[in-house]
Amino acid sequence: MIQIPNVPDGDNIPQLCHQTLVVPTAVLVPAPHGATAAPHGIAMTIGGVPPPRPHCCVSPQALCSVSPQDLAVPNAGWSVAMREQFQHLLRRTADGSWRRIPSYRRGLDYLPEVVQMVVGPVTGPGPRHFLRNLDAEGAGFEYAIFLHSSGHHAQCLCQLGPYLEGHHGFAHGGAIATLIDTTVGACALAVAKTSVMTAKLNISYLVPMPVGAVVVADSRMERHEGRKIFLSCRVHDTKGDTLYAEATALFIQVENTKPPPAARP
Ligand SMILES: CCCCCCCCCCCCCC(=O)SCCNC(=O)CCNC(=O)[C@H](O)C(C)(C)COP(=O)(O)OP(=O)(O)OC[C@H]1O[C@@H](n2cnc3c(N)ncnc32)[C@H](O)[C@@H]1OP(=O)(O)O
């Protein structure tokens, strides 16, 4: 179950407080379909020698998070193309027509008042978000979600890192499904303003997506019938030239009666 956080203004981007994460540079191999290597020596290897594992892929520190950090902002793992597109989308927030949605490793840590409202007393740090399950910048999902003021349109700017590889050089279909589910989920949340769950997700994979590619998942609410929210999603490159996947989804608004998650030892 997911819940709506309190969303601050899009232009309020905090300074990055980098964690002690080291991602060793690996051999950079020319990427298919013009996929780009990330700046600053971050491993974005598409083929050949896989990058060594980061020092703290799942660190004890990360499992007992210490301070809230909004991760939907540029970091050293973002490619130039990702940064440029982020700035472009951010500029649209200036007039209030769009807003950027902050993103944290653990919703329960940073939004206790919302969780309390939705699931009851908070007894632990809560689940670590699937899309934020790697500490290494650029290794997994790098993304920022933007919501239109209508609440019926969400766009997720995303760069799928080398740990999301399926076929050699290309993003795993499950990773693409996760990106789509998250984007339509954000849109459904904005529509429902209460907890929602994915009931159906139907994806057509049209073109293989190179690892490291910067894409936009564009989701719209198509119709809202009682507790059912029907949505569509298209995943394309930043210029709109390549359509990687398209999807339809059904989300169901659910009662907020789930017990709180058990505390971690
Ligand atoms: C702004 C904030 C931004 C935040 C950003 C972060 C975003 C992160 C987003 C992350 C997103 C990640 C999200 C995730 O990953 S959610 C995790 C994946 N999803 C699940 O695990 C869901 C499992 N299923 C269930 O829990 C229940 O089956 C649900 C809750 C879905 C419905 O059980 P419930 O008992 O409540 O409903 P009902 O049976 O009374 O049915 C009600 C109506 O719905 C219709 N129906 C039900 N199911 C289906 C179906 N499969 N196809 C077609 N229709 C279906 C049904 O016919 C009926 O229609 P009608 O007869 O009324 O016409």
Side-chain angles (χ1 to χ4, degrees), residues 2 5 101 147 181-182 197-200 227-228 250 252 254:
I2 46 183
I101 307 299
L147 258 187
D181 194 20
T182 299
M197 289 198 89
T198 318
K200 251 181 163 173
R227 293 168 54 218
K228 296 190 285 191
L250 169 62
I252 308 288
V254 293

Side-chain angles (χ1 to χ4, degrees), residues 72-114:
V73 293
N75 66 47
W78 285 28
S79 66
V80 171
M82 178 79 172
R83 287 160 187 268
E84 284 176 357
Q85 192 63 20
F86 178 76
Q87 291 305 328
H88 169 69
L89 296 177
L90 203 57
R91 277 194 289 276
R92 295 190 317 188
T93 65
D95 65 1
S97 56
W98 288 84
R99 60 186 165 144
R100 185 189 65 93
I101 307 299
S103 170
Y104 305 95
R105 284 213 168 81
R106 293 174 185 281
L108 304 200
D109 277 355
Y110 311 132
L111 301 165
E113 70 291 347
V114 175

Side-chain angles (χ1 to χ4, degrees), residues 26-30 45-51 165 168-169:
V27 179
L28 291 173
V29 175
T45 307
I46 303 301
V49 183
E165 191 176 44
H168 190 58

Side-chain angles (χ1 to χ4, degrees), residues 111-128:
L111 301 165
E113 70 291 347
V114 175
V115 172
Q116 194 117 357
M117 224 165 55
V118 173
V119 300
V122 178
T123 55
R128 184 166 168 138

Side-chain angles (χ1 to χ4, degrees), residues 1-5 7 99 101-102 143 145 147 181-187 189-190 196-200 225 227-228 250-255 258:
M1 190 179 297
I2 46 183
Q3 51 278 323
I4 278 218
V7 182
R99 60 186 165 144
I101 307 299
Y143 67 100
I145 297 176
L147 258 187
D181 194 20
T182 299
T183 309
V184 289
C187 196
L189 265 176
V196 292
M197 289 198 89
T198 318
K200 251 181 163 173
E225 293 171 3
R227 293 168 54 218
K228 296 190 285 191
L250 169 62
F251 276 69
I252 308 288
Q253 292 177 231
V254 293
E255 294 295 321
K258 293 230 162 157

Side-chain angles (χ1 to χ4, degrees), residues 50-259:
R53 289 184 79 79
H55 290 187
C56 50
C57 191
V58 179
S59 67
Q61 291 85 351
L63 291 174
C64 320
S65 59
V66 283
S67 63
Q69 184 188 355
D70 182 1
L71 299 169
V73 293
N75 66 47
W78 285 28
S79 66
V80 171
M82 178 79 172
R83 287 160 187 268
E84 284 176 357
Q85 192 63 20
F86 178 76
Q87 291 305 328
H88 169 69
L89 296 177
L90 203 57
R91 277 194 289 276
R92 295 190 317 188
T93 65
D95 65 1
S97 56
W98 288 84
R99 60 186 165 144
R100 185 189 65 93
I101 307 299
S103 170
Y104 305 95
R105 284 213 168 81
R106 293 174 185 281
L108 304 200
D109 277 355
Y110 311 132
L111 301 165
E113 70 291 347
V114 175
V115 172
Q116 194 117 357
M117 224 165 55
V118 173
V119 300
V122 178
T123 55
R128 184 166 168 138
H129 289 164
F130 176 39
L131 276 77
R132 298 296 186 193
N133 62 1
L134 295 174
D135 291 335
E137 293 170 341
F141 292 95
E142 293 293 347
Y143 67 100
I145 297 176
F146 293 82
L147 258 187
H148 190 258
S149 54
S150 66
H152 295 170
H153 188 184
Q155 290 188 334
C156 180
L157 172 66
C158 187
Q159 174 188 302
L160 276 71
Y163 285 9
L164 303 177
E165 191 176 44
H167 276 298
H168 190 58
F170 296 102
H172 193 285
I176 296 168
T178 299
L179 164 63
I180 293 172
D181 194 20
T182 299
T183 309
V184 289
C187 196
L189 265 176
V191 170
K193 297 187 174 62
T194 182
S195 300
V196 292
M197 289 198 89
T198 318
K200 251 181 163 173
L201 188 57
N202 190 344
I203 301 175
S204 297
Y205 294 95
L206 305 173
V207 174
M209 183 187 296
V211 169
V214 177
V215 300
V216 176
D218 192 299
S219 171
R220 291 170 193 270
M221 196 266 297
E222 298 296 340
R223 60 186 202 280
H224 190 180
E225 293 171 3
R227 293 168 54 218
K228 296 190 285 191
I229 303 169
F230 296 86
L231 305 113
S232 63
C233 187
R234 293 162 65 83
V235 185
H236 52 74
D237 67 351
T238 55
K239 290 184 179 150
D241 293 339
T242 305
L243 182 61
Y244 291 111
E246 53 189 2
T248 55
L250 169 62
F251 276 69
I252 308 288
Q253 292 177 231
V254 293
E255 294 295 321
N256 301 324
T257 52
K258 293 230 162 157

